[in-house]
Amino acid sequence: MKKKISKICAVLLIIALGSMETGWRLFNMMICCKRGARKKERKKWFELSHIRENHPQNGYAEEYNESKEWCFAQKMQDCYIRSTDGLKLHGFYLPAENAKRFVILSHGYRGSRFGTMSFMAKYLHEHQCNLLFMEQRCCGDSEGKYITFGAMEQWDVQQWAIYVSERNKEKLPVYLYGQSMGASAVLMASGHTLPPEVKGLIADCGFHSMEGQMQDMAANWFHLPHIPLLLMEMDWFCSLLAGFHMKDADTTEAMKKNTRPVLFFHGEKDTYVYPHNSFQNYMLCKAPKKLVIVPGARHLCSAYADPALYQNTMMQFFEKYD
């Protein structure tokens, strides 16, 4: 009898350890910062079809590369802030002639300041917008060990808004423009105190919550329809090592509190962050709002798929709330 109990305990222990190992691997893959050689290893392992298919380089490589090269060719000013948890964060400032407004650009998950933001950055600069390119924590020249899916990035957005406001001597309107995770961070930041110059938010393909995004990825990428234990373990590692809970990366409360107008964009064919996320954020939002679903567009491809619709809608938004 004792041997049987011992065997059962051993099996349960192996299962528990295996489950914890899976939770750790998910945390390490999704949350931990990967730079240099380790980043190349992660990219090779994690280069799934959903990522390749949704990237603007798939179908819009010429426009993507041209606008990215344009950004690198500009003479930008280095900017630095200190995050609320002590990290030194980096950004670039690009002034425009006869500027009418400031736009703070918040890039997506493991992105860069001159990646998918470049296409619209070029257009905005040509239309009299001063630009502040954020480099999210753990990306580019910004410090950080962990990507928190908006839990901490929302406070970074707030700090950058304050930074711009303090240097905005002419009191020009300020807009927060985010893509993907950067869009979610912008939406979450709207639940906090922002400078009065911030007139509106633009959220392109933002997710509703980290937990929901993890569930969507598990179900549709890895075909794991129900993973509560795995998410619980991941949340434990997030809390123990990275200092946040998954519930902290959620737009719900911010959308209920926010009073600033919000312009939502989402690609109809997005399989990276599914369109239902923007529908959910739109329904929760109590402020003036508009939702644009771009037919046929994939993740972060709306501006490429229908430039006229995207650009005209954004300019109308500026003109209405400037």
Side-chain angles (χ1 to χ4, degrees), residues 175-207:
Y175 292 87
L176 309 180
Y177 173 26
Q179 294 184 346
S180 196
M181 188 193 81
S184 299
V186 162
L187 295 177
M188 294 175 204
S190 71
H192 309 308
T193 302
L194 293 171
E197 293 86 358
V198 177
K199 301 300 182 182
L201 321 169
I202 303 156
D204 188 338
C205 298
F207 55 77

Side-chain angles (χ1 to χ4, degrees), residues 13-23 233:
L13 180 61
I14 291 170
I15 293 172
L17 290 174
S19 179
M20 288 296 290
E21 171 69 11
T22 304
E233 291 166 353

Side-chain angles (χ1 to χ4, degrees), residues 68 126 241 272 284 316:
K68 191 173 181 179
E126 291 170 347
L241 300 176
Y272 192 95
L284 286 167
Q316 290 168 9

Side-chain angles (χ1 to χ4, degrees), residues 242-259:
F244 76 101
H245 285 283
M246 290 174 65
K247 64 179 178 61
D248 299 328
D250 190 303
T251 65
T252 302
E253 292 306 314
M255 288 293 88
K256 291 179 180 179
K257 294 178 183 177
N258 173 52
T259 58

Side-chain angles (χ1 to χ4, degrees), residues 48-117:
L48 299 172
S49 61
H50 289 279
I51 298 175
R52 292 194 305 270
E53 290 170 2
N54 278 279
H55 198 279
Q57 283 186 307
N58 177 23
Y60 307 103
E62 183 178 349
E63 298 94 325
Y64 174 84
N65 291 322
E66 181 183 290
S67 58
K68 191 173 181 179
E69 289 172 7
W70 177 87
C71 284
F72 276 107
Q74 305 307 303
K75 293 182 180 179
M76 302 193 190
Q77 304 170 22
D78 289 289
C79 307
Y80 295 93
I81 62 169
R82 188 67 62 176
S83 71
T84 55
D85 56 339
L87 298 178
K88 186 179 182 181
L89 303 180
H90 177 254
F92 281 110
Y93 172 57
L94 180 62
E97 289 187 18
N98 303 314
K100 292 183 176 181
R101 64 191 67 86
F102 278 86
V103 180
I104 299 176
L105 305 170
S106 174
H107 68 73
Y109 177 75
R110 296 194 190 276
S112 67
R113 73 270 185 177
F114 302 151
T116 57
M117 301 294 307

Side-chain angles (χ1 to χ4, degrees), residues 3 10 41 43 59 75 110 174 191 212 233 254-255 259 275 309 313:
K3 288 185 178 180
E41 292 173 9
K43 186 175 181 181
K75 293 182 180 179
R110 296 194 190 276
V174 177
E233 291 166 353
M255 288 293 88
T259 58
L309 172 64
T313 302

Side-chain angles (χ1 to χ4, degrees), residues 282-296:
Y282 176 82
M283 293 304 295
L284 286 167
C285 182
K286 303 301 182 183
K289 56 192 176 181
K290 183 171 185 177
L291 172 61
V292 179
I293 301 297
V294 180

Side-chain angles (χ1 to χ4, degrees), residues 15 32 34 108 114 145 149-150 173 180 183-184 186 203 226-228 235 269-270 278 284 306 320:
I15 293 172
C32 293
K34 308 291 183 180
F114 302 151
K145 294 182 179 179
F149 281 75
S180 196
S184 299
V186 162
H226 193 56
I227 55 165
D235 186 62
K269 300 295 185 181
D270 191 342
S278 283
L284 286 167
D306 196 335
K320 184 174 183 179

